[in-house]
Amino acid sequence: MTGCDTISTDKDSPKILILTTTACSYPGVDNAGQKHLEYPASTYVVNVLDPVIFPVSFYIDAFKMGYDGIYIASCGTDSPYKGTFEKLSKRIGDTVAEMKKIGIHYSRIKLSAICTVCADHFVHELKTFMEEVKNAPKTPELEAVS
Amino acid sequence: MESKTNGEKKPRVGVYICHCGGNISDVVDTAKVAEEIAKLPEVAVSKDFIFMCSDPGQKMIADDVKANNLDHVIVASCSPRLHEMTFQRVVSDAGLNPFQYKHVNIREQVSWVHSHHPDEATEKAYHLIRGGIAAVLKQDPLNPIVKQMIQKAAVIGGGVSGMTAALDLADRDIPVHLIEKAPVLGGHLLELDRVFPVEVDAQEMISSLIKKTMNHPNIFLHLDTEVVKTEGSIGNFRLVLNKTDEKVLDESKFAATLEVNNEKVEDVSELRVGTIIMATGHDFYEPDEGEFGYKKSPFVVTLPQLILHLNNYKGEKFVYKGKEIKSVAMIHCVGSRQIEGVHEPKNGKLNTGCSRVCCTTTLQQANRLKEMFPSINIYDLYRDIRTYGEQETYYKEASENNVIFIKYPDDEPPEVTANGKISIKTKDILTYGLDLEVEVDMVVLAVGIVPRIRTSIIEDLSLPLGQNGFLQEAHVKLRPVESSSEGIYLAGTAQGPKNIRESTMTASAAAAKASSVLTRETIELSPFVAVVSPEKCSGSAQCVAECEYNAIKIVDSGLSGEGVQQAVIDPSLCTGCGACVPACPEEAIHVQGFELDKIKAQLKAMLVEAN
């Protein structure tokens, strides 16, 4: 299945920020391309060594900029960096708490683990996440980021 | 936007959009993207071309940098994993810093995944390039960290992997310090008879390796020695050594290998080396008392105990502890592939992984018993037979030797009762769940491989461990023998269960990786490390607690006045993970190349619509 019939291409498709890691998920997302799997185009990959680098305010600012959802494709417990996945998990918990305070629904952020060859898993998870974001309660007007 | 590099008010960015011979341009309207990007005020040149990575493509970029006085370059093409370094070299040769270049992936992450939606793909390519421009304009020029290299290696562990790695390095004229806790070299191989899959004589193999190791002029031995403290980083590690009082269990079994040439043995308390290879090996799972009857009966033994007993065995009948053994049950997966709720955790942990070698070793020993004592009855109780590759011949041979196979369910291990006689009750999947009970003279437990984590290096250098407690590689496929700490390499079963062939392969790979840096007088390290902004740092030390690599210290800075404490980061210890960044209340730390303001600028720009 190419997926062309199932891909939403409308202008209202949620804008998803995908955070990837050099060691695991960036090659995994590339692998989806190598396999010519399809997913919606309103997806924007930003790669870092480890998403543990981001403070809670970074995620909130991304929502304020206009991203409808944030998908964190981490290395999970396979992270080459000691202790970062535990720290990242806690950070996302803190982010969800902060999101709740300003009215952003928790389903708009997802922490996942994507390996270098997790192409099918990534595409399946991304599509599911996009559906969840589509159906999430509307976010109130947020102040713009300077 | 203001350039971070030349201080000019108006940056001059060159943007190059690759067709990839149609791989991109069949979906993305590259000409249209180039046209739209050209309208941006910071863009001086915007072109599309059939193959940017070709010689004419590279030449075009280099010529443009010079002719148009470009200060930043973007290439939108395939994944950066393919050609980022190609274009960094091009801009570097043209006079720019390689980090004034940004690679944008519009093939794997655009044209190949949105091939049925060319309009959306074209729009996305435009947005990603805008994000790339915003990011590169916020990027400071970066330079690799240059460090002197002590051109000597340490190999920790004198088993088959450690010796193989040491010999490979020594053959490349690299001095090697081989450190072994025991008074002899050889490790677990000393306890084996034959090595599968080609039935090499284990003692001949190990004797030959030991002889070569002992006689190599570039190898310096430290037997009876352990590393008690490790400091430093790639290029200059300091190892503090201490003598152990570890004893060989039975010296008579290892007589050949005990002929140690004492002139070769170094007696020093401190070493300085450029890299370390961890070949610390493994232990065998020790069953709990009563687990499958272990220690309840002297005739319930582990597989390594059986092998040691059979080595050099001369009798026509199989006698163990005064009793003739006529029937043996061999139970697989003891201490491996453990399941929550079925098996008891040891030290709070289950060993969920497969030990890879026990199935083949069990069947090898079953065949050996049949060869030595043809009338012996052998029952093989297994969950799955994992004699992968050419090791499948052991399974075939065992079947031909009339070994009786019983497949027990994963969640119903056999029950062993050892009150005088040994009785085993089990369910057999091969006979559609029939309940079986057999009496045997001996039970052999195919115990798994568990990590041997007894060295202080792991704690001193904060080496990460995987889920099952073995040393974790930086990447299972892309960097399989490297630790995430620069200069530390992994060999053999220290990294996970392996047979001897696989262990020696990883040892040679680790030695090759280590020699690639040891043959240089200086090394260049990635510039992607954390740095502190002294004007912001108040010395709160919250970053210190977050760093798992001991890369951050609080010192008297001497910059902002006497007695002012500030954080400093050792770039050779920093992995660039970024855990310290959000910890700083003053936002005084950033990871070079991954500055938050740069990433935020990229995020913002990716959402800006074309005019």
mmCIF file of all heavy atoms in Angstrom, chain A residues 69-104:
data_model
loop_
_atom_site.group_PDB
_atom_site.id
_atom_site.type_symbol
_atom_site.label_atom_id
_atom_site.label_comp_id
_atom_site.label_asym_id
_atom_site.label_seq_id
_atom_site.Cartn_x
_atom_site.Cartn_y
_atom_site.Cartn_z
ATOM 1 N N GLY A 69 1.145 20.025 17.259
ATOM 2 C CA GLY A 69 1.547 18.857 18.033
ATOM 3 C C GLY A 69 3.054 18.685 17.974
ATOM 4 O O GLY A 69 3.706 19.146 17.025
ATOM 5 N N ILE A 70 3.605 18.040 19.006
ATOM 6 C CA ILE A 70 5.057 17.790 19.033
ATOM 7 C C ILE A 70 5.278 16.305 19.273
ATOM 8 O O ILE A 70 4.799 15.743 20.268
ATOM 9 C CB ILE A 70 5.760 18.612 20.136
ATOM 10 C CG1 ILE A 70 5.449 20.106 19.973
ATOM 11 C CG2 ILE A 70 7.271 18.364 20.098
ATOM 12 C CD1 ILE A 70 5.977 20.972 21.104
ATOM 13 N N TYR A 71 5.985 15.687 18.338
ATOM 14 C CA TYR A 71 6.281 14.258 18.441
ATOM 15 C C TYR A 71 7.779 14.115 18.717
ATOM 16 O O TYR A 71 8.610 14.512 17.900
ATOM 17 C CB TYR A 71 5.900 13.577 17.116
ATOM 18 C CG TYR A 71 6.154 12.091 17.091
ATOM 19 C CD1 TYR A 71 5.197 11.194 17.590
ATOM 20 C CD2 TYR A 71 7.328 11.575 16.573
ATOM 21 C CE1 TYR A 71 5.419 9.828 17.570
ATOM 22 C CE2 TYR A 71 7.558 10.205 16.543
ATOM 23 C CZ TYR A 71 6.599 9.343 17.047
ATOM 24 O OH TYR A 71 6.825 7.997 17.016
ATOM 25 N N ILE A 72 8.101 13.575 19.882
ATOM 26 C CA ILE A 72 9.519 13.451 20.265
ATOM 27 C C ILE A 72 9.971 12.021 19.985
ATOM 28 O O ILE A 72 9.597 11.084 20.696
ATOM 29 C CB ILE A 72 9.725 13.818 21.743
ATOM 30 C CG1 ILE A 72 9.178 15.229 21.985
ATOM 31 C CG2 ILE A 72 11.190 13.748 22.151
ATOM 32 C CD1 ILE A 72 8.301 15.317 23.182
ATOM 33 N N ALA A 73 10.740 11.872 18.924
ATOM 34 C CA ALA A 73 11.223 10.542 18.529
ATOM 35 C C ALA A 73 12.593 10.333 19.182
ATOM 36 O O ALA A 73 13.626 10.603 18.594
ATOM 37 C CB ALA A 73 11.317 10.452 17.007
ATOM 38 N N SER A 74 12.578 9.862 20.403
ATOM 39 C CA SER A 74 13.836 9.705 21.149
ATOM 40 C C SER A 74 14.468 8.346 20.842
ATOM 41 O O SER A 74 13.932 7.557 20.069
ATOM 42 C CB SER A 74 13.562 9.819 22.650
ATOM 43 O OG SER A 74 12.985 8.613 23.110
ATOM 44 N N CYS A 75 15.610 8.094 21.479
ATOM 45 C CA CYS A 75 16.242 6.775 21.371
ATOM 46 C C CYS A 75 15.659 5.807 22.399
ATOM 47 O O CYS A 75 15.978 4.622 22.382
ATOM 48 C CB CYS A 75 17.742 6.870 21.634
ATOM 49 S SG CYS A 75 18.677 7.681 20.342
ATOM 50 N N GLY A 76 14.843 6.328 23.309
ATOM 51 C CA GLY A 76 14.327 5.475 24.384
ATOM 52 C C GLY A 76 15.474 4.988 25.253
ATOM 53 O O GLY A 76 16.471 5.695 25.454
ATOM 54 N N THR A 77 15.339 3.771 25.727
ATOM 55 C CA THR A 77 16.386 3.237 26.609
ATOM 56 C C THR A 77 17.653 2.869 25.844
ATOM 57 O O THR A 77 18.650 2.507 26.445
ATOM 58 C CB THR A 77 15.880 2.000 27.372
ATOM 59 O OG1 THR A 77 15.354 1.081 26.410
ATOM 60 C CG2 THR A 77 14.804 2.358 28.371
ATOM 61 N N ASP A 78 17.606 2.953 24.514
ATOM 62 C CA ASP A 78 18.817 2.693 23.713
ATOM 63 C C ASP A 78 19.681 3.947 23.566
ATOM 64 O O ASP A 78 20.651 3.933 22.804
ATOM 65 C CB ASP A 78 18.436 2.207 22.307
ATOM 66 C CG ASP A 78 17.968 0.768 22.338
ATOM 67 O OD1 ASP A 78 18.205 0.102 23.352
ATOM 68 O OD2 ASP A 78 17.356 0.326 21.347
ATOM 69 N N SER A 79 19.321 5.003 24.262
ATOM 70 C CA SER A 79 20.100 6.238 24.113
ATOM 71 C C SER A 79 21.570 5.993 24.427
ATOM 72 O O SER A 79 21.897 5.353 25.422
ATOM 73 C CB SER A 79 19.560 7.310 25.065
ATOM 74 O OG SER A 79 20.423 8.420 25.041
ATOM 75 N N PRO A 80 22.457 6.495 23.568
ATOM 76 C CA PRO A 80 23.881 6.322 23.873
ATOM 77 C C PRO A 80 24.341 7.190 25.036
ATOM 78 O O PRO A 80 25.460 7.036 25.511
ATOM 79 C CB PRO A 80 24.561 6.745 22.567
ATOM 80 C CG PRO A 80 23.592 7.615 21.870
ATOM 81 C CD PRO A 80 22.225 7.164 22.295
ATOM 82 N N TYR A 81 23.483 8.094 25.477
ATOM 83 C CA TYR A 81 23.869 9.006 26.555
ATOM 84 C C TYR A 81 23.252 8.539 27.869
ATOM 85 O O TYR A 81 22.040 8.322 27.953
ATOM 86 C CB TYR A 81 23.426 10.436 26.238
ATOM 87 C CG TYR A 81 23.924 10.901 24.899
ATOM 88 C CD1 TYR A 81 23.049 11.111 23.844
ATOM 89 C CD2 TYR A 81 25.289 11.079 24.676
ATOM 90 C CE1 TYR A 81 23.509 11.506 22.603
ATOM 91 C CE2 TYR A 81 25.754 11.476 23.434
ATOM 92 C CZ TYR A 81 24.864 11.685 22.405
ATOM 93 O OH TYR A 81 25.313 12.065 21.176
ATOM 94 N N LYS A 82 24.110 8.426 28.857
ATOM 95 C CA LYS A 82 23.695 7.856 30.136
ATOM 96 C C LYS A 82 22.617 8.709 30.823
ATOM 97 O O LYS A 82 22.798 9.916 31.006
ATOM 98 C CB LYS A 82 24.925 7.759 31.034
ATOM 99 C CG LYS A 82 24.773 6.841 32.202
ATOM 100 C CD LYS A 82 26.091 6.723 32.930
ATOM 101 C CE LYS A 82 25.921 5.894 34.177
ATOM 102 N NZ LYS A 82 27.149 5.868 34.967
ATOM 103 N N GLY A 83 21.535 8.044 31.181
ATOM 104 C CA GLY A 83 20.514 8.694 32.016
ATOM 105 C C GLY A 83 19.624 9.706 31.325
ATOM 106 O O GLY A 83 18.735 10.277 31.959
ATOM 107 N N THR A 84 19.828 9.938 30.024
ATOM 108 C CA THR A 84 19.066 11.023 29.402
ATOM 109 C C THR A 84 17.588 10.663 29.196
ATOM 110 O O THR A 84 16.733 11.540 29.267
ATOM 111 C CB THR A 84 19.674 11.452 28.052
ATOM 112 O OG1 THR A 84 19.787 10.312 27.220
ATOM 113 C CG2 THR A 84 21.020 12.113 28.244
ATOM 114 N N PHE A 85 17.293 9.397 28.927
ATOM 115 C CA PHE A 85 15.899 9.051 28.656
ATOM 116 C C PHE A 85 15.043 9.253 29.912
ATOM 117 O O PHE A 85 13.914 9.747 29.827
ATOM 118 C CB PHE A 85 15.760 7.620 28.145
ATOM 119 C CG PHE A 85 14.346 7.274 27.756
ATOM 120 C CD1 PHE A 85 13.689 7.999 26.776
ATOM 121 C CD2 PHE A 85 13.651 6.257 28.396
ATOM 122 C CE1 PHE A 85 12.369 7.714 26.424
ATOM 123 C CE2 PHE A 85 12.338 5.968 28.060
ATOM 124 C CZ PHE A 85 11.698 6.697 27.067
ATOM 125 N N GLU A 86 15.596 8.902 31.050
ATOM 126 C CA GLU A 86 14.861 9.100 32.306
ATOM 127 C C GLU A 86 14.610 10.599 32.523
ATOM 128 O O GLU A 86 13.514 11.016 32.896
ATOM 129 C CB GLU A 86 15.649 8.529 33.487
ATOM 130 C CG GLU A 86 15.783 7.003 33.496
ATOM 131 C CD GLU A 86 16.752 6.452 32.471
ATOM 132 O OE1 GLU A 86 17.559 7.239 31.920
ATOM 133 O OE2 GLU A 86 16.699 5.238 32.194
ATOM 134 N N LYS A 87 15.635 11.392 32.268
ATOM 135 C CA LYS A 87 15.495 12.848 32.445
ATOM 136 C C LYS A 87 14.480 13.405 31.443
ATOM 137 O O LYS A 87 13.662 14.265 31.780
ATOM 138 C CB LYS A 87 16.856 13.536 32.241
ATOM 139 C CG LYS A 87 17.850 13.251 33.355
ATOM 140 C CD LYS A 87 19.139 14.036 33.149
ATOM 141 C CE LYS A 87 20.039 13.871 34.367
ATOM 142 N NZ LYS A 87 21.186 13.058 34.139
ATOM 143 N N LEU A 88 14.549 12.913 30.197
ATOM 144 C CA LEU A 88 13.628 13.383 29.160
ATOM 145 C C LEU A 88 12.185 13.026 29.531
ATOM 146 O O LEU A 88 11.274 13.853 29.391
ATOM 147 C CB LEU A 88 14.013 12.759 27.815
ATOM 148 C CG LEU A 88 13.085 13.048 26.641
ATOM 149 C CD1 LEU A 88 13.043 14.528 26.311
ATOM 150 C CD2 LEU A 88 13.531 12.262 25.402
ATOM 151 N N SER A 89 11.981 11.800 30.004
ATOM 152 C CA SER A 89 10.626 11.368 30.372
ATOM 153 C C SER A 89 10.051 12.289 31.440
ATOM 154 O O SER A 89 8.889 12.709 31.370
ATOM 155 C CB SER A 89 10.643 9.936 30.911
ATOM 156 O OG SER A 89 11.251 9.094 29.995
ATOM 157 N N LYS A 90 10.883 12.616 32.425
ATOM 158 C CA LYS A 90 10.418 13.499 33.500
ATOM 159 C C LYS A 90 10.104 14.892 32.929
ATOM 160 O O LYS A 90 9.100 15.510 33.274
ATOM 161 C CB LYS A 90 11.486 13.595 34.587
ATOM 162 C CG LYS A 90 11.012 14.373 35.787
ATOM 163 C CD LYS A 90 12.063 14.474 36.863
ATOM 164 C CE LYS A 90 11.600 15.396 37.990
ATOM 165 N NZ LYS A 90 11.181 16.723 37.547
ATOM 166 N N ARG A 91 10.964 15.359 32.021
ATOM 167 C CA ARG A 91 10.784 16.687 31.425
ATOM 168 C C ARG A 91 9.461 16.744 30.681
ATOM 169 O O ARG A 91 8.738 17.731 30.741
ATOM 170 C CB ARG A 91 11.950 16.962 30.464
ATOM 171 C CG ARG A 91 11.933 18.291 29.747
ATOM 172 C CD ARG A 91 12.662 19.376 30.502
ATOM 173 N NE ARG A 91 13.702 18.887 31.387
ATOM 174 C CZ ARG A 91 14.928 18.517 31.005
ATOM 175 N NH1 ARG A 91 15.268 18.593 29.736
ATOM 176 N NH2 ARG A 91 15.792 18.091 31.877
ATOM 177 N N ILE A 92 9.130 15.682 29.945
ATOM 178 C CA ILE A 92 7.873 15.687 29.191
ATOM 179 C C ILE A 92 6.696 15.679 30.171
ATOM 180 O O ILE A 92 5.673 16.336 29.935
ATOM 181 C CB ILE A 92 7.811 14.492 28.206
ATOM 182 C CG1 ILE A 92 8.986 14.567 27.205
ATOM 183 C CG2 ILE A 92 6.484 14.463 27.453
ATOM 184 C CD1 ILE A 92 9.115 15.885 26.458
ATOM 185 N N GLY A 93 6.855 14.974 31.284
ATOM 186 C CA GLY A 93 5.823 15.009 32.335
ATOM 187 C C GLY A 93 5.629 16.429 32.838
ATOM 188 O O GLY A 93 4.491 16.912 32.984
ATOM 189 N N ASP A 94 6.740 17.113 33.072
ATOM 190 C CA ASP A 94 6.661 18.511 33.537
ATOM 191 C C ASP A 94 6.028 19.401 32.462
ATOM 192 O O ASP A 94 5.284 20.341 32.763
ATOM 193 C CB ASP A 94 8.066 19.040 33.861
ATOM 194 C CG ASP A 94 8.691 18.327 35.054
ATOM 195 O OD1 ASP A 94 7.942 17.647 35.793
ATOM 196 O OD2 ASP A 94 9.919 18.420 35.228
ATOM 197 N N THR A 95 6.351 19.100 31.204
ATOM 198 C CA THR A 95 5.797 19.896 30.097
ATOM 199 C C THR A 95 4.284 19.729 30.022
ATOM 200 O O THR A 95 3.546 20.704 29.831
ATOM 201 C CB THR A 95 6.453 19.472 28.761
ATOM 202 O OG1 THR A 95 7.864 19.586 28.890
ATOM 203 C CG2 THR A 95 5.974 20.324 27.603
ATOM 204 N N VAL A 96 3.832 18.493 30.188
ATOM 205 C CA VAL A 96 2.384 18.225 30.156
ATOM 206 C C VAL A 96 1.684 19.010 31.265
ATOM 207 O O VAL A 96 0.609 19.613 31.048
ATOM 208 C CB VAL A 96 2.109 16.704 30.265
ATOM 209 C CG1 VAL A 96 0.625 16.430 30.514
ATOM 210 C CG2 VAL A 96 2.564 15.989 28.997
ATOM 211 N N ALA A 97 2.317 19.049 32.429
ATOM 212 C CA ALA A 97 1.722 19.806 33.545
ATOM 213 C C ALA A 97 1.627 21.296 33.184
ATOM 214 O O ALA A 97 0.612 21.948 33.467
ATOM 215 C CB ALA A 97 2.572 19.606 34.795
ATOM 216 N N GLU A 98 2.663 21.799 32.551
ATOM 217 C CA GLU A 98 2.676 23.214 32.151
ATOM 218 C C GLU A 98 1.648 23.468 31.047
ATOM 219 O O GLU A 98 0.971 24.504 31.030
ATOM 220 C CB GLU A 98 4.094 23.576 31.668
ATOM 221 C CG GLU A 98 4.383 25.047 31.539
ATOM 222 C CD GLU A 98 4.221 25.830 32.834
ATOM 223 O OE1 GLU A 98 4.464 25.261 33.913
ATOM 224 O OE2 GLU A 98 3.822 27.011 32.746
ATOM 225 N N MET A 99 1.537 22.505 30.122
ATOM 226 C CA MET A 99 0.555 22.635 29.034
ATOM 227 C C MET A 99 -0.856 22.736 29.607
ATOM 228 O O MET A 99 -1.688 23.530 29.157
ATOM 229 C CB MET A 99 0.644 21.416 28.100
ATOM 230 C CG MET A 99 1.868 21.409 27.198
ATOM 231 S SD MET A 99 2.195 19.777 26.456
ATOM 232 C CE MET A 99 0.704 19.487 25.514
ATOM 233 N N LYS A 100 -1.104 21.900 30.619
ATOM 234 C CA LYS A 100 -2.434 21.875 31.244
ATOM 235 C C LYS A 100 -2.773 23.253 31.807
ATOM 236 O O LYS A 100 -3.907 23.729 31.671
ATOM 237 C CB LYS A 100 -2.432 20.815 32.350
ATOM 238 C CG LYS A 100 -3.803 20.423 32.834
ATOM 239 C CD LYS A 100 -3.708 19.326 33.871
ATOM 240 C CE LYS A 100 -5.064 19.072 34.490
ATOM 241 N NZ LYS A 100 -4.981 18.095 35.583
ATOM 242 N N LYS A 101 -1.778 23.890 32.415
ATOM 243 C CA LYS A 101 -2.006 25.203 33.040
ATOM 244 C C LYS A 101 -2.497 26.236 32.032
ATOM 245 O O LYS A 101 -3.290 27.109 32.366
ATOM 246 C CB LYS A 101 -0.697 25.716 33.659
ATOM 247 C CG LYS A 101 -0.370 25.127 35.010
ATOM 248 C CD LYS A 101 0.870 25.837 35.553
ATOM 249 C CE LYS A 101 1.559 24.978 36.585
ATOM 250 N NZ LYS A 101 2.901 25.457 36.882
ATOM 251 N N ILE A 102 -1.991 26.144 30.787
ATOM 252 C CA ILE A 102 -2.366 27.175 29.808
ATOM 253 C C ILE A 102 -3.371 26.660 28.771
ATOM 254 O O ILE A 102 -3.591 27.290 27.739
ATOM 255 C CB ILE A 102 -1.124 27.773 29.115
ATOM 256 C CG1 ILE A 102 -0.259 26.684 28.478
ATOM 257 C CG2 ILE A 102 -0.295 28.586 30.094
ATOM 258 C CD1 ILE A 102 0.913 27.244 27.686
ATOM 259 N N GLY A 103 -3.918 25.483 29.039
ATOM 260 C CA GLY A 103 -5.025 24.999 28.218
ATOM 261 C C GLY A 103 -4.638 24.225 26.966
ATOM 262 O O GLY A 103 -5.453 24.078 26.051
ATOM 263 N N ILE A 104 -3.414 23.729 26.901
ATOM 264 C CA ILE A 104 -3.029 22.886 25.748
ATOM 265 C C ILE A 104 -3.245 21.430 26.153
ATOM 266 O O ILE A 104 -2.722 20.980 27.172
ATOM 267 C CB ILE A 104 -1.549 23.101 25.351
ATOM 268 C CG1 ILE A 104 -1.255 24.591 25.123
ATOM 269 C CG2 ILE A 104 -1.193 22.287 24.118
ATOM 270 C CD1 ILE A 104 0.228 24.903 24.923
#
